Amino acid sequence: MLDLTYDAPKPKVIAGAKSDWELVIGLEVHAQVATAAKLFSGASTRFGAEPNSNVAFVDAGMPGMLPVINEGCVAQAVRTGLGLRAEINLFSAFDRKNYFYPDLPQGYQISQLYHPIVGEGEVIVEMGEGIARRVRIERIHLEQDAGKSIHDMDPHMSFVDLNRTGVALMEIVSRPDIRGPEEAAAYVGKLRQIMRYLGTCDGNMQNGNLRADVNVSVCRPGDYEKYQETQDFSHLGTRCEIKNMNSMRFIQAAIDYEARRQIAIREDGGTIDQETRLYDPDRNETRSMRSKEEAHDYRYFPCPDLLPLEIDQGWVDDIAAGLPELPDQKKARFITDFGLSDYDASVLTAEAENAAYFEEVADGADGKLAANWVINELFGRLKKDDDKGISESPVSPAQLRGIISLITGGDISGKIAKDLFEIVYTEGGDPAEIVTARGMKQVTDTGAIEAAVDQIIADNPAQVEKAKVNPKLAGWFVGQVMKATGGKANPKAVNEIVAKKLGG
Ligand code: ADP
Ligand code: MG
């Protein structure tokens, strides 16, 4: 396992303030469940479909239509809970959250207020090598997404697209354990990574697949520790909630702005109103949307159309047995098994597909060299090539392993290997065959190298005299030999022979 310290770095003092303040942040993340059909209907969840083409009668709130739970969505929520080492509640139930909005044709959202499907869990967020923060998860509940109002298509009318209406969301609620903007972004990143490994959420923030409500408050040094000891929220400052953030960069900017705003008010002797705010990226500020007094009374009550959800432990155990290796374990294993650095292991395990590709390359090859080639050459080349993903790589793991074994076997130098990689990338083919067919094999034959060195020495008597006084000039001869052999001479052998001949 990773050697992580749980003593988090001290929360940053906020610059510009007259006295010391600390940040306290709790996130409510809405993650769209990766399934083909909606939570209570068989309508498709495909993104980018023609507006209002993926709508069942129940999604449109037609009278008399009844919701039917999608077992696949329930399984995905359980899988997510298990991935976050959380308690799975065998009994959960759906409630109606009543409010009126044009993109909510039912007039209520079906959610799980009183009995969520997943209880307490945790996420370990790394904030640099060996430094980790534990963020507790309070709960995960299943709920329906709303539709989308479109206000910019016509000067006089608004439109509504119900394709998203009824799509399953997991609302993942954290405890207020996050202590800074970078940590908040790292937490969302880690959740996203785990869910992508699990295959329970695509985590595409641009498509609104993963969004966060960010709760921010500030307190005096020492107060957070009192909260931790007692779990009494009165030690913390009043929070504001910034709604619906779908970019890591904006999450950080919004928290930063909000912290400064709250500190300025409190240092002026004012108090913070608990309110819901919206972040405006164009002006980089948050603005009040509604205060606590104006908060909706949702008149929650148990949904009469759905029976409580009762699942059995055997089913949960089956899901647990099918869980993949998760990022933290994989990273730790890469460090031990392949001797990788913390950084390389993080890069390679960021996405499960990258990790799987690397493991195939490293199978029977030098692990560190394989990591180097995957990260620096392959990822770099794919990035230049229209930012391609690993699944679109024209070089297969077997081909890359072939190139690496030609290096370790002494057949080609690292420099020739780069040319070979480019040939394999653009033209395909078997690396060993290409090396033979194109005469790229490294010259290790000392006789041939000696002949080349002798020739250069014979052609450059003046340089030889200078090199006898200044041994550093040997490098020039090495360069000439490499040039004469088209870069194919074994550099180690060339160095040795040049040194011997000049010295002698
Ligand atoms: P609500 O249901 O009104 O949104 P919750 O108690 O469920 O309230 O809290 C919502 C989120 O706010 C949680 O993620 C929680 O961690 C966070 N939170 C609660 N108190 C604070 C606080 N003082 N500062 C920052 N975040 C907070
Ligand atoms: Mg809330």
Side-chain angles (χ1 to χ4, degrees):
M1 278 306 293
L2 281 183
D3 180 24
L4 298 174
T5 60
Y6 286 83
D7 324 324
K10 200 147 176 43
K12 252 195 242 157
V13 175
I14 294 145
K18 291 190 201 117
S19 49
D20 289 354
W21 294 93
E22 289 180 4
L23 261 171
V24 177
I25 302 157
L27 260 59
E28 296 158 273
V29 169
H30 296 264
Q32 185 181 320
V33 178
T35 47
K38 295 184 180 181
L39 183 53
F40 299 118
S41 83
S44 164
T45 58
R46 193 168 67 81
F47 182 80
E50 181 78 6
N52 297 309
S53 59
N54 294 339
V55 190
F57 288 128
V58 69
D59 305 323
M62 290 294 161
M65 295 296 118
L66 290 173
V68 178
I69 186 88
N70 176 345
E71 185 181 327
C73 296
V74 179
Q76 290 290 57
V78 169
R79 206 171 148 80
T80 304
L82 291 169
L84 303 182
R85 291 197 278 265
E87 190 188 330
I88 305 299
N89 294 324
L90 299 181
F91 177 94
S92 65
F94 290 98
D95 305 292
R96 282 188 184 178
K97 179 181 182 178
N98 299 281
Y99 65 98
F100 171 79
Y101 208 75
D103 62 17
L104 187 77
Q106 287 173 157
Y108 53 84
Q109 179 194 32
I110 302 177
S111 183
Q112 297 187 309
L113 178 68
Y114 302 109
H115 300 285
I117 183 149
V118 178
E120 295 193 354
E122 65 173 15
V123 174
I124 305 299
V125 182
E126 271 184 80
M127 299 303 300
E129 197 171 329
I131 304 169
R133 176 98 62 190
R134 178 170 174 260
V135 177
R136 293 167 300 160
I137 301 293
E138 184 184 318
R139 57 190 276 157
I140 304 177
H141 57 259
L142 272 169
E143 62 183 28
Q144 304 171 290
D145 205 349
K148 196 170 140 202
S149 296
I150 301 158
H151 305 292
D152 57 3
M153 270 176 67
D154 187 281
H156 308 293
M157 282 185 287
S158 281
F159 295 99
V160 68
D161 176 5
L162 299 183
N163 281 350
R164 219 174 57 191
T165 311
V167 166
L169 298 178
M170 297 177 278
E171 178 167 336
I172 306 168
V173 183
S174 86
R175 298 274 182 198
D177 290 348
I178 299 162
R179 309 303 309 282
E182 301 86 4
E183 250 177 62
Y187 166 77
V188 175
K190 187 65 179 279
L191 268 184
R192 179 178 181 276
Q193 183 192 29
I194 293 172
M195 290 190 290
R196 283 176 61 82
Y197 264 65
L198 293 167
T200 56
C201 172
D202 298 339
N204 188 331
M205 297 187 82
Q206 270 145 18
N207 294 356
N209 226 287
L210 192 67
R211 331 190 273 271
D213 297 341
V214 183
N215 296 271
V216 180
S217 68
V218 294
C219 67
R220 293 298 190 179
D223 287 346
Y224 185 76
E225 285 72 18
K226 286 184 205 149
Y227 156 73
Q228 281 287 24
E229 255 165 54
T230 58
Q231 294 301 306
D232 176 355
F233 280 85
S234 71
H235 292 295
L236 300 180
T238 303
R239 72 189 152 104
C240 288
E241 176 175 0
I242 312 161
K243 275 278 179 208
N244 231 352
M245 308 286 301
N246 67 348
S247 133
M248 302 278 198
R249 196 158 57 84
F250 294 161
I251 288 175
Q252 297 187 57
I255 292 171
D256 191 69
Y257 174 86
E258 187 55 23
R260 290 167 200 278
R261 187 188 71 86
Q262 292 183 14
I263 290 166
I265 292 173
R266 291 193 39 192
E267 291 197 333
D268 261 5
T271 50
I272 306 299
D273 290 329
Q274 186 175 333
E275 56 185 5
T276 304
R277 302 178 68 87
L278 277 183
Y279 175 69
D280 176 348
D282 294 328
R283 302 171 67 167
N284 187 29
E285 61 180 36
T286 64
R287 276 200 300 274
S288 180
M289 197 174 134
R290 58 173 181 258
S291 70
K292 199 183 178 187
E293 288 72 48
E294 302 162 290
H296 296 134
D297 178 351
Y298 294 113
R299 306 273 165 148
Y300 275 99
F301 65 86
C303 183
D305 290 341
L306 288 157
L307 286 169
L309 195 56
E310 291 184 66
I311 56 180
D312 53 72
Q313 189 59 46
W315 189 63
V316 175
D317 293 343
D318 284 348
I319 296 174
L323 240 49
E325 182 181 38
L326 290 170
D328 289 348
Q329 283 90 47
K330 204 184 275 294
K331 181 179 163 187
R333 185 168 61 78
F334 278 17
I335 292 173
T336 359
D337 287 8
F338 300 109
L340 303 188
S341 67
D342 190 273
Y343 177 81
D344 284 358
S346 291
V347 173
L348 291 169
T349 55
E351 296 282 350
E353 296 141 295
N354 292 353
Y357 185 102
F358 163 74
E359 279 204 82
E360 266 193 71
V361 176
D363 181 22
D366 178 312
K368 273 189 188 163
L369 198 57
N372 231 329
W373 273 83
V374 171
I375 296 172
N376 298 321
E377 301 306 321
L378 182 65
F379 288 174
R381 188 65 180 84
L382 288 168
K383 200 173 176 66
K384 266 198 278 173
D385 188 4
D386 247 1
D387 219 355
K388 283 205 167 95
I390 198 88
S391 60
E392 301 160 289
S393 168
V395 178
S396 72
Q399 284 171 313
L400 190 51
R401 193 186 328 115
I403 297 174
I404 292 167
S405 61
L406 288 166
I407 305 171
T408 43
D411 293 308
I412 55 173
S413 65
K415 192 175 162 297
I416 293 286
K418 291 189 185 186
D419 299 339
L420 175 62
F421 174 79
E422 187 58 28
I423 296 170
V424 175
Y425 192 97
T426 47
E427 301 170 27
D430 176 62
E433 279 168 21
I434 296 170
V435 165
T436 315
R438 307 202 186 184
M440 294 168 86
K441 236 191 169 76
Q442 178 161 261
V443 181
T444 38
D445 168 7
T446 44
I449 296 173
E450 268 195 64
V453 175
D454 286 342
Q455 188 63 47
I456 309 272
I457 286 179
D459 291 348
N460 298 281
Q463 283 292 99
V464 174
E465 286 315 307
K466 280 191 213 156
K468 280 187 176 153
V469 195
N470 181 2
K472 277 191 193 145
L473 286 180
W476 181 85
F477 288 88
V478 172
Q480 292 301 305
V481 176
M482 294 309 280
K483 213 161 139 192
T485 57
K488 284 180 295 189
N490 180 325
K492 195 165 157 267
V494 176
N495 268 304
E496 282 166 10
I497 294 167
V498 166
K500 197 179 77 194
K501 301 249 170 194
L502 287 179

